[in-house]
Amino acid sequence: MNELTFPIIFMLAVVIIEGLIITRSHHQSINWRELTFNLNSGHIMLWLFRGLELFCYGFVVSHYSLGITDNWSPLWVWILAILAWDFGFYWLHRLHHTFRALWAVHVVHHQGEQFNLSLGVRNSWYSSLTSIPFFMLLALIGIPLEIFITVSIAHYTIQFFNHSALIPPLGWWEKIMVTPHHHKVHHVKQGHYSQRNFGGSFIIWDKLFGTYSALPDADYQYGIRGEPASENPFIDSNRPFLRLLGIKRQVITNFQPKYHIHAFALVSGTLLLFTLVIGYVYLYGYGYNGTSMQQVSLFILLGLGTIALSGLSSGYSWGLYSWFILASVLGSVIIFYWHWQNIFWLLTTSLLWLHALALLCGLGRNPNHENIYVN
């Protein structure tokens, strides 16, 4: 599964590198706790639901394709797939801002208050589920699954880099393609700007359908009005649906963190957990046909890791203890029950346990309210 793991490793590396460059530049600040949440928000559940998306696409193209493109030259098939995918994404994205049920999925992405590459990773657990019906048209006309996957990766890569804080305006290129300069508009908190610039890769759809806008001249901020994010991906992915059902969760506004994790300790813990996720993807990819209890168990443990990490970031006592318990259980299961002797799993789980033990002993954290922005 190297073809799946390399893009994740690349994404993780450039997010951290950009964060360090921003920190060193002294022109901006980086909120490492928000960056941690962004990385931690959906990278576990993504693999379950992205697998379902590809399963549905493969099933439809295999059993219900109309074969419209069967006799086309490969060049025209690729051109159609590239344009049709982005056209479908434009309407998917626009409808996320139109219907409350879809907004409940998408709102997690807009809660980020800093514009950088990590924001491109911030998503609800259920974001892949809402994509399924919008791309089935490509399956019906006969776009092969392999082309669909390649085109999807290309478009998602463009969208990822459209969240960069370091890429300047790109001149004539911006007349055709969506760039960070365009996409910043969509994340502006003030006014109606979140209802503009829905395009993923090509800006032509926004100009064609009247949803294009330039950045405001006045000062602006990123994010959304209303209840702030909790830093817990389980809560933030599910709370919008509770609100949709009229169930309001009381928000504790006077909570004081019991401790603060140093930026280095927080990011290193995030990287260790993400490294284990990469190992999971290497083993199982998108698939879950004939899923074993071993795969299910590893998936659940890593999913619980995202919640424990959010507790650490927020300064909850339960976060500190659950992080240590999770690291201990995960390492014990892999080494003593499954008897995995692979150096990757032995080394990574050992480092995760040492990281958790160090935090439990007070290393890498303090009880003082230090500034979370690193300049």
Side-chain angles (χ1 to χ4, degrees), residues 123-137:
N123 280 297
S124 164
W125 281 2
Y126 314 114
S127 58
S128 290
L129 286 179
T130 58
S131 303
I132 293 174
F134 285 87
F135 297 123
M136 285 305 106
L137 180 60

Side-chain angles (χ1 to χ4, degrees), residues 176-297:
I176 305 170
M177 305 297 293
V178 177
T179 68
H181 190 66
H182 292 315
H183 195 63
K184 285 179 182 178
V185 175
H186 185 67
H187 283 273
V188 170
K189 179 187 294 188
Q190 294 86 348
H192 65 289
Y193 290 100
S194 66
Q195 303 297 322
R196 295 290 183 267
N197 295 10
F198 296 109
S201 296
F202 298 109
I203 198 64
I204 55 176
W205 311 124
D206 285 293
K207 293 183 176 180
L208 182 63
F209 295 110
T211 54
Y212 173 76
S213 176
L215 277 167
D217 295 327
D219 291 338
Y220 54 84
Q221 297 173 314
Y222 300 113
I224 60 171
R225 294 187 175 92
E227 192 174 23
S230 71
E231 295 189 351
N232 186 318
F234 175 79
I235 292 174
D236 287 332
S237 290
N238 291 285
R239 185 167 56 184
F241 293 101
L242 296 179
R243 286 200 296 264
L244 194 62
L245 296 172
I247 303 172
K248 295 184 178 180
R249 173 181 174 272
Q250 184 177 3
V251 180
I252 301 175
T253 57
N254 60 351
F255 169 74
Q256 294 297 324
K258 304 298 182 183
Y259 54 85
H260 278 294
I261 300 293
H262 296 166
F264 177 79
L266 187 61
V267 173
S268 61
T270 304
L271 291 177
L272 284 170
L273 181 62
F274 221 119
T275 300
L276 290 170
V277 173
I278 293 170
Y280 172 90
V281 175
Y282 183 86
L283 289 176
Y284 303 112
Y286 286 120
Y288 46 84
N289 288 331
T291 302
S292 65
M293 280 303 299
Q294 190 176 86
Q295 179 181 355
V296 173
S297 300

Side-chain angles (χ1 to χ4, degrees), residues 44 55 60 75-76 92 121 209 213 251-252 305 330 334 343 354:
I44 296 291
F55 172 81
V60 172
L75 176 62
W76 287 112
L92 166 65
V121 188
F209 295 110
S213 176
V251 180
I252 301 175
L330 184 62
I334 286 176
I343 187 63
L354 290 173

